[in-house]
Amino acid sequence: MTPKYRDLDLQLDGSVALIRLARPDKRNAINDALVLALRDLFQQLPSSARAAVICGEGAHFCAGLDLSELQERDAGQGLMHSRMWHAALEQVQYGPVPVIAALHGAVVGGGLELAACCQIRVADESAFYALPEGSRGIFVGGGGAVRIPRLIGVARMTDMMLTGRVYNAQDGERAGFAQYLVPAGQALAKATEIARRVAENAPLTNYALMHALPRIAEQPADQGFLTEALMAGIAQSAPEAKDRVRAFLEGRAAKVTKE
Ligand code: 1HE
């Protein structure tokens, strides 16, 4: 039986977990209950899942933080609220399986912060990206200050927050928000296709890509080379890696081909 969460729907399709933000009346705005549900869901993902897709119900992926909960918090409560988002989105980024975000409509504020912690982003032509925090008199608090510059650079993020600039889907793909751009209405299908492909990888390879690569990228080069070598040694020692290499050498595995 799959666990149940309020405003968050989980379905298993073979080895792919499909996770849907399900608050369409509020444009999937993320309130405290939903951020905690995200944390719990990723902590308790069924072990049969080898990849996940996250998408939003209705016309938008996610309108960000639920602004109706942004009451008079003092500085300490604001700090703890942001740390709660960090803890939840940490479970998404460094959870058990790679996560592919299927983006459409608004991908804004905390919704963009959620998208930014997924390993792959697929956007359709209706997607648009913004950080309205700047206009609301607040700051990002869901890890966006760390993750978004790694996608698009500090200068673009600063511009978005200072001026309220909105990126459309095409410009957003060029800027680095999404790795794939598809026609309107096709983001979920493409994300699911990618997730099925990712689910076939050796689990240790997926683990290395999720947990080692982003950390290696943050290390000084001499430490990064050593971490890479340790990860490479572990990955290649797995029986599954040996089987896959043997299959190629014996002509039983696909070659690399152009699209
Ligand atoms: C909301 C929210 C929300 C919609 N919190 N209730 N995020 C923002 O500043 C984005 C604010 N939202 C919007 O700009 C628009 O709603 C959208 C572009 C996303 C969608 O527009 P639209 O015309 O489809 O919907 P709508 O009519 O604006 O909204 C429908 C309902 O959802 C309406 O409630 P209703 O009771 O009047 O029907 C809206 O109030 C409600 N709604 N967005 C609460 N965000 C960890 S820190 C992160 C900090 C942030 O994310 S700040 C950025 C917040």
Side-chain angles (χ1 to χ4, degrees):
M1 231 201 38
T2 49
K4 296 255 176 288
Y5 304 90
R6 189 161 166 223
D7 297 333
L8 196 57
D9 189 49
L10 167 65
Q11 286 171 31
L12 276 175
D13 174 7
S15 53
V16 174
L18 173 61
I19 296 150
R20 195 185 297 265
L21 305 172
R23 261 194 112 200
D25 293 353
K26 297 292 178 190
R27 308 309 184 249
N28 300 319
I30 301 179
N31 55 18
D32 288 359
L34 186 46
V35 87
L36 293 174
L38 272 168
R39 180 199 63 188
D40 294 349
L41 186 151
F42 277 89
Q43 268 174 351
Q44 295 161 19
L45 215 55
S47 57
S48 56
R50 301 274 292 262
V53 170
I54 187 161
C55 66
E57 197 172 314
H60 302 282
F61 174 68
C62 177
L65 175 72
D66 186 326
L67 292 169
S68 70
E69 283 192 354
L70 195 70
Q71 308 127 346
E72 300 279 315
R73 288 196 190 108
D74 66 23
Q77 290 163 332
L79 165 77
M80 292 308 169
H81 181 261
S82 171
R83 297 298 287 156
M84 178 176 77
W85 271 68
H86 290 165
L89 297 195
E90 172 104 0
Q91 292 301 318
V92 180
Q93 179 174 8
Y94 295 120
V97 297
V99 186
I100 295 89
L103 305 176
H104 75 297
V107 184
V108 304
L112 181 52
E113 295 183 292
L114 170 60
C117 66
C118 299
Q119 279 73 29
I120 299 178
R121 282 158 296 281
V122 179
D124 84 10
E125 280 168 352
S126 72
F128 57 96
Y129 309 92
L131 290 169
E133 287 89 336
S135 341
R136 311 265 181 250
I138 54 177
F139 189 58
V140 283
V146 172
R147 295 190 182 100
I148 296 171
R150 287 177 188 160
L151 297 180
I152 62 167
V154 172
R156 285 198 185 94
M157 178 168 171
T158 307
D159 174 32
M160 288 173 83
M161 293 197 69
L162 285 175
T163 67
R165 180 171 179 171
V166 179
Y167 277 81
N168 67 24
Q170 284 79 16
D171 292 344
E173 190 221 6
R174 273 193 290 274
F177 286 111
Q179 294 101 316
Y180 295 85
L181 179 61
V182 296
Q186 293 185 23
L188 181 55
K190 182 69 180 176
T192 306
E193 176 196 320
I194 291 170
R196 289 207 181 98
R197 167 73 185 76
V198 167
E200 287 171 9
N201 291 337
L204 261 180
T205 301
N206 282 349
Y207 183 88
L209 289 168
M210 290 179 68
H211 293 266
L213 179 61
R215 286 164 169 134
I216 291 169
E218 297 304 318
Q219 289 182 324
D222 63 334
Q223 294 173 22
F225 291 136
L226 178 62
T227 313
E228 177 190 88
L230 293 170
M231 193 65 245
I234 293 167
Q236 60 107 63
S237 72
E240 188 163 350
K242 296 186 192 312
D243 291 346
R244 286 174 183 235
V245 171
R246 196 175 311 113
F248 173 76
L249 295 174
E250 292 171 0
R252 292 183 284 111
K255 292 186 191 182
V256 178
T257 51
K258 286 192 278 183
E259 286 282 288

